[in-house]
């Protein structure tokens, strides 16, 4: 059972570079999301998706783009990296119901990004 | 907008002591879901419990228990007879029905001292 797979696990970028964090899940979950974790800030929601072709902004969306072309994949793009985007990024997926996201979140192992 | 407050940034207790982690939430919805997650030093995030707003019964799972009180908008987590393996960061989270965001608190770092 792969669950939620994130790549890469570590990445160092220079300011202004672009990159994509990949996230894939094999649980047929409609809901996927990206969080960033910074010391003392907890987990903050960047973007989320309730199904293929549907994405929406979370708490801290600026500087990040997402797309959802398939149920399985939800990549996170940094168009022009900034030092403030140095963080640990977590992808998560969940089942949904008519009452919203009611299931537990299944998290990937995280991707540690450093922007110099 | 929903909000989760974990006022305790860091707690240290000696092994075998009981410890309670506080979680206070804000929501205008009458239907919502509350969660607790654990993040051990290895970094993965582990689901512990989900509670919906219509179920105010306390939950017990081994040494873990949860106290949900709508009157005070709190969903507190107690570890009884703590063990060193309980050392972790614990997050409380809130999801409102008909809104697809799951919002986390800032977490409480728990140190269990041998």
């Amino acid at each position: 059972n792969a669950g939620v797979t994130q790549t890469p696990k570590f990445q160092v970028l220079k300011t202004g570079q672009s990159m994509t964090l990949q996230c894939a899940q094999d649980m047929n979950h409609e809901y996927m999301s990206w969080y960033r974790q910074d010391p003392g800030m907890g987990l903050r929601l960047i973007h989320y998706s309730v199904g293929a072709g549907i994405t929406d902004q979370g708490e801290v969306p600026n500087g990040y783009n997402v797309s959802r072309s398939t149920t399985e994949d939800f990549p996170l793009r940094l168009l022009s990296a900034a030092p403030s985007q140095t963080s640990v990024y977590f992808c998560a997926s969940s089942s949904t119901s008519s009452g919203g996201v009611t299931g537990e979140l299944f998290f990937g192992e995280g991707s540690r990004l450093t922007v110099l | 907008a929903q909000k989760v407050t974990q006022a305790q940034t860091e707690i240290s207790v000696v092994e075998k002591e009981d410890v309670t982690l506080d979680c206070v939430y804000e929501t205008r919805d009458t239907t919502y879901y509350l969660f607790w997650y654990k993040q051990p030093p290895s970094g993965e995030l582990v689901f512990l419990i989900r509670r919906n707003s219509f179920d105010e019964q306390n939950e017990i799972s081994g040494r873990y228990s949860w106290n949900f009180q709508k009157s005070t908008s709190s969903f507190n987590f107690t570890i009884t007879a703590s063990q060193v393996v309980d050392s972790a960061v614990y997050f409380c989270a809130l999801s409102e029905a008909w809104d697809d965001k799951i919002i986390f608190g800032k977490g409480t770092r728990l140190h269990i001292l041998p």
Side-chain angles (χ1 to χ4, degrees):
Chain A
N1 287 343
V4 179
T5 303
Q6 288 182 234
T7 56
K9 288 188 170 44
F10 301 94
Q11 183 73 50
V12 178
L13 289 177
K14 293 181 180 178
T15 297
Q17 287 185 319
S18 63
M19 78 155 300
T20 299
L21 295 175
Q22 302 290 347
C23 177
Q25 53 91 10
D26 60 1
M27 296 172 282
N28 202 32
H29 284 163
E30 290 296 322
Y31 184 88
M32 296 185 74
S33 56
W34 277 101
Y35 290 87
R36 61 178 288 175
Q37 183 176 19
D38 303 292
M41 299 300 293
L43 292 159
R44 291 183 292 171
L45 181 64
I46 304 172
H47 285 286
Y48 63 97
S49 169
V50 297
I54 306 169
T55 64
D56 209 342
Q57 295 182 348
E59 301 169 279
V60 288
N62 292 341
Y64 307 95
N65 275 0
V66 292
S67 60
R68 185 92 180 270
S69 56
T70 67
T71 299
E72 294 77 21
D73 301 300
F74 191 44
L76 179 71
R77 297 184 185 85
L78 284 71
L79 300 178
S80 178
S84 60
Q85 294 178 304
T86 293
S87 188
V88 179
Y89 292 84
F90 286 96
C91 180
S93 72
S94 181
S95 57
T96 58
S97 70
S98 58
V101 185
T102 60
E104 67 174 280
L105 284 172
F106 291 82
F107 284 89
E109 294 182 340
S111 299
R112 185 175 293 275
L113 175 66
T114 301
V115 183
L116 303 175
Chain B
Q2 68 260 53
K3 184 179 179 182
V4 176
T5 301
Q6 295 181 256
Q8 303 152 309
T9 304
E10 202 158 345
I11 301 174
S12 294
V13 300
V14 177
E15 197 173 19
K16 298 183 183 176
E17 288 185 352
D18 299 346
V19 58
T20 295
L21 309 183
D22 298 333
C23 173
V24 174
Y25 61 92
E26 295 177 28
T27 177
R28 284 179 284 188
D29 238 338
T30 56
T31 304
Y32 50 90
Y33 298 85
L34 294 161
F35 305 82
W36 276 95
Y37 287 84
K38 173 182 179 180
Q39 186 178 42
S42 51
E44 74 271 23
L45 285 148
V46 180
F47 167 81
L48 294 178
I49 190 172
R50 180 192 69 192
R51 172 68 71 213
N52 74 57
S53 54
F54 297 109
D55 183 1
E56 284 195 76
Q57 278 192 328
N58 290 334
E59 176 102 4
I60 298 175
S61 177
R63 297 183 295 107
Y64 295 173
S65 62
W66 290 268
N67 184 339
F68 176 28
Q69 292 196 329
K70 290 175 76 170
S71 60
T72 56
S73 297
S74 65
F75 186 44
N76 296 338
F77 173 31
T78 297
I79 302 175
T80 302
S82 60
Q83 299 177 1
V84 172
V85 293
D86 296 325
S87 296
V89 180
Y90 290 88
F91 293 99
C92 182
L94 168 67
S95 170
E96 296 174 328
W98 316 114
D99 185 359
D100 300 308
K101 301 186 190 70
I102 302 178
I103 302 301
F104 284 75
K106 293 185 178 181
T108 297
R109 183 176 296 276
L110 177 63
H111 300 278
I112 308 298
L113 308 172

